[in-house]
């Protein structure tokens, strides 16, 4: 029989969508009904509608903590796989240039085209996971991704390896779009902060660790082809783990499976799940699926502002793969292996950021949960960490730039990466949480559009980085980036102050501001 269900840990009133009079296409209403069905008091309530209540053992948020932490680790591993693959050619660039007889600009495309694939993949992977579930999409993406790594390893000409790199990026984008949505499936708002804190390391650990790996492979004389064989083995192992250890976590799809089971057990065809009643034809469904991320993005000023800021930060990370060789390989005359070591402080800075977040900021958020109970904490509470990080990110570039002289000890510019990694995690972690909290029912689509534009910056920045650093020199090139970071830095502050007002006007943000509780946020922030 049916039972009333709403998102775990959230009051029914607080997740009611902002209904615009005369608007019959409210996405919030559509997604809430698909996921949870109408309430028993509503006109369309049907006792044969199958929904999964929040205390049901089948509900992902009721699974054991060990299982959910394993899935969190798996989500991080899949993202690590994708981002590790994006930058791993860095250490083997000289060998690739020698074999394929191309120059530095084409070598940069080895990274940029892979990241450009992230612009295409999320258009499908995020919305498709909202139609067919997380697991089938992970499997459908990872098998071709593994095959394209084989293609790279066996490439004999420039065109083939560049095409395989791009296609590999398209399919590697799946965990970037869906792993965050998987986190929202299995964790409530209180614990999700801890899970995402650890998970957020993966997108930045991969790019930081991959040049170290490929650099020492080059120093050891290992063929560049083994870089891609390593990626093949890594992606193949992840595919096996997905197939045998990752269950479906998307609640509407789980309800469909239960409805099918009930029809089979009882022989009564009247049992149904909300997602099964989606009778949209294939063509309109594809248009809806591919268009939804942009529809959400361009109708939401909050999401647009966050996407611009996160895209700039993401682009700066990939720009460093061109800037670091100029400063350390050319300026300090390090080999590929030692130059790869220069990326390690970025990773350690990220680890520091996560540890401090878990020790200080997450407990503060849990106290706010108690203060706001039974209402959810407004998403703006997530932004406090980003307000600390935005000036730190800008300072890191000034630091890196003005210590990049070859006459200054390499420890000075290298340690700028430590604060940079710290700031990047403190920017992305709260902003990911904010997007998930603010756009609960369309979180995968919101994250997909965010990923597309971030990836455009990640693909584009390396293409002009070498010319910019050679023309302006590392000091002024880094200073320019620092000033742009200062210009964009107020975005978290503005959303912290005005985000609640913007959400009142939003068509996609399900949580209304909890007006009586706003003074509590102000007191904590003071």
């Amino acid at each position: 029989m049916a039972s009333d269900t709403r998102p775990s840990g959230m009051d029914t009133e607080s997740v009611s969508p902002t209904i615009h009079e005369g608007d019959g296409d409210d996405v919030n209403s559509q997604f809430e009904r698909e996921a949870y069905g109408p309430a028993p008091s509503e006109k369309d309530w049907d006792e044969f509608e199958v929904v999964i209540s929040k205390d049901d053992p089948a509900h992902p948020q009721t699974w054991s903590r060990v299982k959910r932490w394993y899935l969190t680790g798996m989500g991080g591993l899949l993202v690590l796989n994708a981002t590790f693959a994006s930058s791993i050619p860095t250490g083997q660039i000289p060998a690739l240039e020698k074999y394929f007889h191309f120059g530095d600009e084409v070598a940069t495309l080895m990274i940029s085209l892979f990241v450009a694939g992230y612009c295409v993949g999320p258009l499908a992977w995020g919305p498709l996971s909202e139609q067919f579930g997380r697991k089938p999409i992970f499997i459908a993406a990872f098998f071709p991704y593994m095959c394209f790594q084989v293609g790279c390893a066996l490439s004999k000409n420039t065109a083939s390896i560049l095409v395989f790199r791009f296609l590999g990026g398209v399919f590697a984008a799946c965990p970037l779009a869906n792993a965050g949505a998987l986190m929202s499936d299995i964790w409530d708002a209180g614990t999700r902060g801890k899970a995402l804190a650890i998970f957020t390391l993966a997108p930045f650990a991969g790019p930081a660790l991959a040049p170290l790996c490929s650099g020492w492979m080059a120093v050891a004389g290992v063929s560049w082809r083994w870089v891609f064989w390593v990626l093949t083995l890594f992606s193949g192992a992840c595919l096996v783990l997905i197939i045998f250890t990752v269950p479906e976590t998307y609640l509407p799809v789980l309800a469909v499976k239960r409805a099918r089971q009930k029809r089979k057990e009882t022989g009564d065809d009247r049992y149904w799940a909300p997602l099964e009643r989606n009778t949209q034809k294939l063509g309109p469904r594809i248009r809806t699926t591919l268009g939804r991320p942009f529809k959400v993005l361009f109708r939401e000023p909050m999401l647009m502002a966050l996407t611009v800021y996160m895209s700039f930060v993401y682009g700066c990370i990939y720009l460093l793969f061109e800037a670091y060789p100029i400063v350390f390989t050319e300026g300090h005359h390090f080999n590929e292996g030692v130059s790869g070591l220069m990326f390690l402080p970025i990773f350690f800075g990220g680890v520091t950021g996560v540890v401090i977040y878990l020790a200080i900021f997450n407990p503060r958020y849990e106290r706010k949960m108690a203060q706001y109970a039974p209402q959810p904490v407004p998403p703006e509470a997530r932004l406090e960490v980003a307000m600390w990080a935005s000036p730190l990110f800008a300072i890191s570039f000034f630091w890196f730039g003005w210590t990049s002289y070859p006459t200054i000890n390499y420890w000075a510019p290298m340690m700028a990466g430590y604060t940079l990694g710290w700031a990047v995690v403190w920017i992305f972690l709260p902003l990911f949480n904010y997007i998930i909290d603010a756009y609960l029912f369309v979180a995968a689509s919101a994250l997909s559009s965010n990923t597309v534009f971030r990836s455009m910056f990640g693909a584009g920045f390396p293409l002009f980085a070498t010319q910019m650093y050679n023309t302006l020199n590392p000091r002024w090139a880094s200073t320019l980036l620092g000033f742009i970071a200062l210009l964009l830095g107020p975005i978290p502050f503005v959303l912290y102050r005005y985000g609640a007002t913007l959400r009142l006007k939003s068509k996609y943000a399900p949580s209304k501001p909890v007006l009586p509780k706003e003074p509590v946020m102000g007191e904590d922030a003071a």
Side-chain angles (χ1 to χ4, degrees), residues 3 5 34 36 102 104 130 136 138-139 145 165 167 275 331-332 346 385 442 446 455 502 504 526:
S3 58
T5 303
E34 281 185 4
Y36 309 108
F102 52 55
D104 292 340
E130 293 169 345
F138 277 132
I139 294 173
Y145 166 59
R165 284 291 289 172
L167 293 174
L275 197 59
H332 290 277
I346 299 176
V385 183
V442 289
S455 301
L502 291 171
L504 278 173

Side-chain angles (χ1 to χ4, degrees), residues 51-183:
V51 293
I52 299 175
S53 62
K54 62 184 179 182
D55 57 351
D56 191 303
H59 197 298
Q61 293 183 6
T62 66
W63 295 347
S64 71
R65 294 184 71 85
V66 171
K67 183 176 183 178
R68 286 182 289 159
W69 276 113
Y70 171 77
L71 294 176
T72 300
M74 273 300 303
L77 182 65
L78 299 182
V79 173
L80 176 67
N81 189 316
T83 57
F84 186 85
S86 68
S87 63
I88 199 169
T90 302
Q92 289 278 7
I93 290 298
L96 288 162
E97 290 179 344
K98 182 178 179 180
Y99 181 88
F100 290 106
H101 305 291
F102 52 55
D104 292 340
E105 289 77 11
V106 177
T108 302
L109 288 174
M110 296 284 293
I111 296 173
S112 291
L113 282 177
F114 191 92
V115 181
Y118 296 170
C119 303
V120 180
L123 296 176
W125 306 131
L128 283 174
S129 76
E130 293 169 345
Q131 295 288 332
F132 303 105
R134 315 298 187 201
K135 181 172 182 174
I137 302 304
F138 277 132
I139 294 173
F142 252 79
F143 179 73
Y145 166 59
M146 178 185 68
C147 294
F148 290 132
Q149 304 317 305
V150 176
C152 288
L154 299 177
S155 293
K156 295 186 181 298
N157 55 64
T158 302
S160 61
I161 195 167
L162 292 180
V163 168
F164 284 133
R165 284 291 289 172
F166 173 73
L167 293 174
V170 170
F171 287 87
C174 179
L176 298 181
N178 290 341
L182 184 146
M183 298 298 105

Side-chain angles (χ1 to χ4, degrees), residues 14-53:
S14 68
V15 299
S16 298
T18 304
I19 303 295
H20 301 274
E21 190 173 353
D23 188 354
D25 185 33
D26 185 70
V27 167
N28 240 6
S29 301
Q30 172 191 338
F31 271 79
E32 186 172 2
R33 182 161 295 231
E34 281 185 4
Y36 309 108
S41 59
E42 293 185 28
K43 179 180 178 181
D44 295 335
W45 181 74
D46 183 349
E47 63 176 338
F48 291 100
E49 179 183 1
V50 176
V51 293
I52 299 175
S53 62

Side-chain angles (χ1 to χ4, degrees), residues 84 201 204-213 216 320-321 324 328 336-352 410-411 413-422:
F84 186 85
L201 273 177
F204 311 109
L209 296 176
L212 173 64
C213 176
W216 285 111
L320 294 178
F321 297 122
Y324 268 41
F328 296 110
E336 290 86 352
V338 177
S339 293
L341 289 172
M342 300 298 104
F343 289 93
L344 277 181
I346 299 176
F347 171 68
F348 290 128
V351 172
T352 302
Y410 67 88
W411 276 91
M414 182 181 76
M415 291 311 295
Y418 181 79
T419 56
L420 182 71
W422 186 339

